[in-house]
Amino acid sequence: MNTSVIETSSTGTSALEAARLVLARDIRLALRKRGQLIQPLAFFAIVTTLFPLGISPELSRLRDVAPGVLWVAALLSSLLALEFLFRDDAQDGTLEQHVLSGQSLTWLLFAKTVAHWLLTGLPLAVMAPLAGLSLGVPAAALSGIVVSVAIGSVALSLIGSIGAALTLGVKRSGALLSLLTLPLSMPVLIFGARATELAIRGAGFAPPLYLLGALAVLGITLAPLAAAAAVRISLE
Amino acid sequence: MSRLAVSIKTQSLTLRVDTRAYGAKLLNLRDSRAIVPPPTEPMPERRLQAENLHLWRGDRHVLRGVRLCVNSGECLQITGGNGAGKTTLLRTLSGLMYPEEGTITWGGENIRRDLQAFHADLAYIGHEPPLKPDLTAEENLRYWVGVRRKLATHDMNRELGRLGADQWGNRPIRTLSAGQKRRVALAGLLLIAAPLWLLDEPTTNLDAEGQRLVGTLIEEHLARGGLAVAAIHHELTISPAVIRRLELSSK
Amino acid sequence: MAWTWFHRLGSPPYIYGLAARLTPWFAWLAAVLIIGGLYGGLILAPPDYQQGDDFRIIYVHAPSAWMSLMVYSTMAISAGVGLIWRIKIAHAAAASCAPIGASFTFAALVTGSLWGERMWGTYWEWDPRLTSELILLFLYLGYMGLRSAMDDMQRADRASAVLAVVGIVNVPIIHYSVLWWNSLHQAPSVMQLAKPTMPPSMLIPLLMMLFGFTVLFVALLLVRLRAEILNRERAASWIREAVTQ
């Protein structure tokens, strides 16, 4: 057996391999700048701490508002993380090279969004139970919270990727980004909070979770296309 | 320092094994050719042509009926003062910008028909080298070039050595000087091994030796049948026989 | 040859002149329909057996709410046309739609809230239609915000067009998710007047108002489109001739 035959110095990279490289690069970069990773999580923790201080320390009252608090906080912190999604790549010319790579831009941006979700959405889902406990959520409901936040944040990352790509040409884009992204995210908030609420009550929370999943799937199919169009426009 | 280098080496080793597995599984590749360094492969005859390009930026008429033609083995040198539209022209030729009027053809076919295929034939290096400050030179090349084509470590080391950049391959880009970054980017350009080079001020920040090296690299590229379009202030040190010139006036 | 009309529709001077000629027709038609509709609705129609005269705000509220969606669709379609075929005039039309649509949305919200005060005793109730309307207003504000944040007109056109298309895909999702959300938290709203069970004396003025608002939108769009073209083509020579005429 000749094992060294596949020395493919002249072949192009397959789409799958290209996506894997984009994903690996973003994760490696994020791990080198851990401060940026922690910011949205710290923000999430702080926002959920504000509510008991603003409403009441009684866990029974907090439990009623917990779904809303958790999801609004998740929405805002995912928004905070979005600013990093394309900004650095746009500044150092990496985004331009993605467009000119001969690979499908939609596909590469999808890989970037997956990396973004792994680095921000997934940690959020892991942290949400802690915040839930501090809001009086019973331990039995925590798994429901993890699952709903994990799925919901997929949709949030995807919707957000459109907003982040659209505001690439804008200098101070924070407020505009939220104005563009939040109205589109409202269905995620509705279904996510509903799933959390049902989980807290100990009821079956599968139906809103399915709807959340449907939003995520719709996002996976359409959002990268829109983000790719927006990225091309920002480079025109 | 040495431990760092070792760990990176092993990483790159696993990466290579990985890509082989991918290639073998997905594409069912059976390539029994000897290891051929990419730049020496002959390239098919090609022509980049632009007709009557017009482009406005707001009220500014930047490109006013530009026409040009570059064949395999030729280098087009775009000159002109600041704001004459050199970068705009390069970006338009690359397909990044969309001219209001006019067409660009590559090998006789409008580049808009299959932009992705055109981009696979194209290497574009803008004003700033497209490198991530927080990654090392080698990591940058591995990702940047790797997205386009399979990158073998020995190829990378050879080209980095060619550019005199091998001794700082393990250093993060942000610790390099502007000229050193430029050299790393030029190594990437060679590794991409595309027939068409679009270069925006490729000699910026380079010392005299580096500038001569750019001339040599372009000459070699042309000798292999490649094409180059370069926006440039200084005269390139290459044979006048293969150079075409395009002067953009800023009004 | 079949395409000449299409190309002429993309030509700013032609559209500029056409809009000028068409505006009075639409404006007068809108005036007649709206005055007739208001007369029919506010004076001729009998009071509602439950709500008395309060229901008459429907003659402004319902057409405004209808227009808010209709203008958004028009905006998204013309933005999409501009995006796909790179027709500048389509972008100009989309840009002209946004403030008109936002105004209709705002009017629908204000009239809805006034109506709510009479019906529920509060100016704001999280009724699903009002909530959807509010989110729609945010979508309009986002669109206009994105436009104004970009200095480069072409980039603003194309980026906002992507947003409009994304928005129109999301409008039904938002609408149904809000309906679903509302059905969990409260009984169906009482605001269900616009049913075909309305007597003709009430329905005909409402239809006249709906149609009148639509025509009014076209007239406003033509006026704004002319202004938009003037702004965009200010450097072109035909503008000087058109303005000094």
Side-chain angles (χ1 to χ4, degrees):
Chain A
M1 283 292 282
N2 190 350
T3 47
S4 66
V5 288
I6 314 165
E7 184 57 56
T8 49
S9 61
S10 58
T11 38
T13 306
S14 71
L16 203 63
E17 173 66 6
R20 197 189 67 80
L21 282 168
V22 168
L23 190 81
R25 162 161 61 186
D26 276 15
I27 289 175
R28 181 170 289 197
L29 273 170
L31 294 180
R32 294 228 170 126
K33 286 195 197 168
R34 288 193 196 87
Q36 253 185 21
L37 270 186
I38 292 164
Q39 278 171 30
L41 292 177
F43 179 80
F44 179 73
I46 289 172
V47 170
T48 47
T49 314
L50 291 179
F51 281 89
L53 296 176
I55 298 173
S56 136
E58 283 172 57
L59 287 183
S60 60
R61 279 185 72 188
L62 288 173
R63 195 173 301 138
D64 287 343
V65 293
V69 170
L70 284 175
W71 275 90
V72 171
L75 208 62
L76 293 179
S77 71
S78 88
L79 197 63
L80 197 69
L82 277 179
E83 288 202 62
F84 308 126
L85 181 53
F86 296 130
R87 182 119 314 195
D88 286 350
D89 278 5
Q91 268 162 10
D92 59 30
T94 304
L95 213 48
E96 208 164 79
Q97 292 298 329
H98 281 336
V99 176
L100 299 173
S101 66
Q103 304 279 0
S104 153
L105 180 63
T106 310
W107 177 239
L108 296 186
L109 293 188
F110 176 64
K112 274 193 75 67
T113 313
V114 170
H116 182 257
W117 176 75
L118 286 174
L119 293 163
T120 62
L122 204 56
L124 210 61
V126 173
M127 245 190 74
L130 290 180
L133 283 178
S134 73
L135 295 171
V137 171
L142 294 182
S143 61
I145 292 181
V146 174
V147 176
S148 65
V149 173
I151 297 177
S153 57
V154 174
L156 291 181
S157 284
L158 287 159
I159 295 169
S161 73
I162 304 175
L166 282 173
T167 51
L168 271 175
V170 181
K171 265 161 221 103
R172 255 178 286 280
S173 61
L176 183 61
L177 182 60
S178 50
L179 184 58
L180 301 189
T181 311
L182 289 179
L184 301 177
S185 309
M186 283 186 193
V188 180
L189 174 70
I190 289 173
F191 298 136
R194 177 66 180 164
T196 308
E197 189 193 328
L198 289 174
I200 290 176
R201 276 206 232 137
F205 53 88
L209 214 55
Y210 290 150
L211 290 168
L212 214 51
L215 286 181
V217 170
L218 189 73
I220 288 171
T221 41
L222 295 182
L225 282 172
V231 162
R232 283 182 205 281
I233 290 164
S234 79
L235 293 171
E236 254 181 29
Chain B
M1 190 64 208
S2 73
R3 226 180 63 207
L4 183 75
V6 167
S7 80
I8 284 171
K9 275 228 179 76
T10 44
Q11 252 178 3
S12 64
L13 197 68
T14 56
L15 193 81
R16 266 177 71 200
V17 171
D18 215 31
T19 56
R20 285 177 186 186
Y22 264 123
K25 246 195 338 231
L26 277 174
L27 304 172
N28 203 14
L29 287 172
R30 285 289 155 110
D31 191 345
S32 56
R33 274 178 294 176
I35 299 167
V36 183
T40 53
E41 285 171 24
M43 294 168 179
E45 277 288 311
R46 287 289 174 75
R47 169 184 286 185
L48 178 75
Q49 204 164 3
E51 281 296 330
N52 193 35
L53 294 181
H54 284 274
L55 190 137
W56 280 263
R57 254 339 193 194
D59 289 344
R60 229 154 46 82
H61 194 173
V62 187
L63 301 183
R64 302 183 296 275
V66 175
R67 50 188 307 179
L68 57 87
C69 175
V70 197
N71 292 305
S72 284
E74 288 177 345
C75 172
L76 179 76
Q77 184 174 331
I78 305 171
T79 53
N82 295 331
K86 297 191 295 293
T87 299
T88 306
L89 177 56
L90 275 181
R91 292 174 70 85
T92 307
L93 290 176
S94 75
L96 284 172
M97 290 174 119
Y98 202 104
E100 267 87 358
E101 263 178 60
T103 50
I104 303 164
T105 55
W106 170 242
E109 190 163 314
N110 192 327
I111 60 165
R112 296 278 160 194
R113 281 181 72 116
D114 190 350
L115 205 54
Q116 213 170 307
F118 172 62
H119 286 156
D121 284 345
L122 164 90
Y124 170 85
I125 298 198
H127 250 279
E128 288 296 313
L131 304 170
K132 286 271 167 207
D134 291 307
L135 296 178
T136 67
E138 285 182 1
E139 286 169 332
N140 262 296
L141 293 181
R142 216 170 266 296
Y143 291 124
W144 170 32
V145 181
V147 166
R148 309 184 53 128
R149 60 197 309 285
K150 298 234 157 73
L151 179 59
T153 308
H154 57 85
D155 284 342
M156 179 167 75
N157 291 337
R158 189 188 61 240
E159 301 302 358
L160 278 173
R162 182 90 207 274
L163 270 301
D166 45 350
Q167 69 271 35
W168 59 72
N170 285 330
R171 275 169 52 190
I173 290 295
R174 87 180 109 71
T175 65
L176 301 183
S177 76
Q180 288 172 320
K181 283 182 210 167
R182 175 68 59 186
R183 283 168 185 264
V184 175
L186 288 170
L189 174 70
L190 294 177
L191 288 166
I192 287 173
L196 176 60
W197 285 1
L198 298 182
L199 308 173
D200 199 350
E201 305 285 356
T203 54
T204 317
N205 297 321
L206 289 178
D207 49 25
E209 181 264 332
Q211 293 189 6
R212 272 194 304 279
L213 183 58
V214 171
T216 315
L217 294 179
I218 292 180
E219 262 180 328
E220 287 175 8
H221 177 63
L222 302 182
R224 286 191 299 273
L227 298 78
V229 180
I232 205 154
H233 279 303
H234 317 284
E235 197 67 14
L236 279 171
T237 53
I238 66 180
S239 147
V242 292
I243 279 214
R244 290 181 176 221
R245 281 193 181 73
L246 179 72
E247 167 96 26
L248 294 176
S249 68
S250 39
K251 200 75 196 182
Chain C
M1 203 201 75
W3 283 90
T4 46
W5 66 271
F6 194 70
H7 282 294
R8 256 202 297 173
L9 277 184
S11 142
Y14 178 74
I15 291 289
Y16 186 82
L18 187 69
R21 267 175 286 135
L22 289 179
T23 306
W25 292 93
F26 281 97
W28 280 111
L29 184 59
V32 169
L33 282 168
I34 289 173
I35 290 170
L38 284 178
Y39 184 74
L42 301 187
I43 293 158
L44 294 184
D48 183 63
Y49 74 100
Q50 266 184 329
Q51 300 183 38
D53 282 334
D54 289 345
F55 94 98
R56 293 184 197 276
I57 201 166
I58 197 179
Y59 292 109
V60 183
H61 175 75
S64 303
W66 153 251
M67 290 314 295
S68 63
L69 265 178
M70 149 74 184
V71 176
Y72 198 91
S73 319
T74 311
M75 180 174 95
I77 291 170
S78 72
V81 167
L83 200 60
I84 295 167
W85 287 291
R86 293 188 169 260
I87 299 173
K88 282 189 203 165
I89 208 86
H91 285 305
S96 316
C97 281
I100 307 175
S103 310
F104 278 126
T105 314
F106 188 68
L109 277 172
V110 170
T111 52
S113 137
L114 289 174
W115 197 358
E117 205 278 329
R118 303 294 298 181
M119 308 242 309
W120 304 310
T122 58
Y123 281 106
W124 186 259
E125 187 74 31
W126 287 97
D127 167 82
R129 290 190 205 180
L130 282 182
T131 311
S132 296
E133 204 66 25
L134 184 63
I135 300 177
L136 188 61
L137 182 65
F138 291 146
L139 288 180
Y140 274 117
L141 291 180
Y143 178 90
M144 293 193 287
L146 184 62
R147 284 204 75 86
S148 62
M150 295 197 159
D151 309 323
D152 184 300
M153 178 74 86
Q154 281 147 304
R155 210 174 286 167
D157 277 344
R158 297 177 55 70
S160 62
V162 171
L163 182 66
V165 172
V166 169
I168 200 77
V169 172
N170 267 275
V171 161
I173 300 176
I174 293 173
H175 179 73
Y176 284 105
S177 64
V178 168
L179 271 185
W180 184 83
W181 157 78
N182 193 262
S183 67
L184 299 171
H185 295 278
Q186 64 184 67
S189 133
V190 240
M191 229 156 82
Q192 292 187 342
L193 262 172
K195 282 272 166 75
T197 51
M198 265 185 150
S201 57
M202 286 181 179
L203 188 61
I204 290 171
L206 184 60
L207 292 178
M208 279 176 77
M209 288 300 284
L210 281 176
F211 196 52
F213 267 48
T214 312
V215 178
L216 174 67
F217 159 61
V218 177
L220 290 173
L221 178 62
L222 290 174
V223 173
R224 286 199 66 89
L225 186 59
R226 268 162 58 86
E228 192 72 38
I229 292 175
L230 275 181
N231 181 30
R232 283 162 187 253
E233 302 277 317
R234 58 182 178 265
S237 54
W238 68 267
I239 286 280
R240 218 153 294 136
E241 291 160 26
V243 172
T244 50
Q245 254 172 25

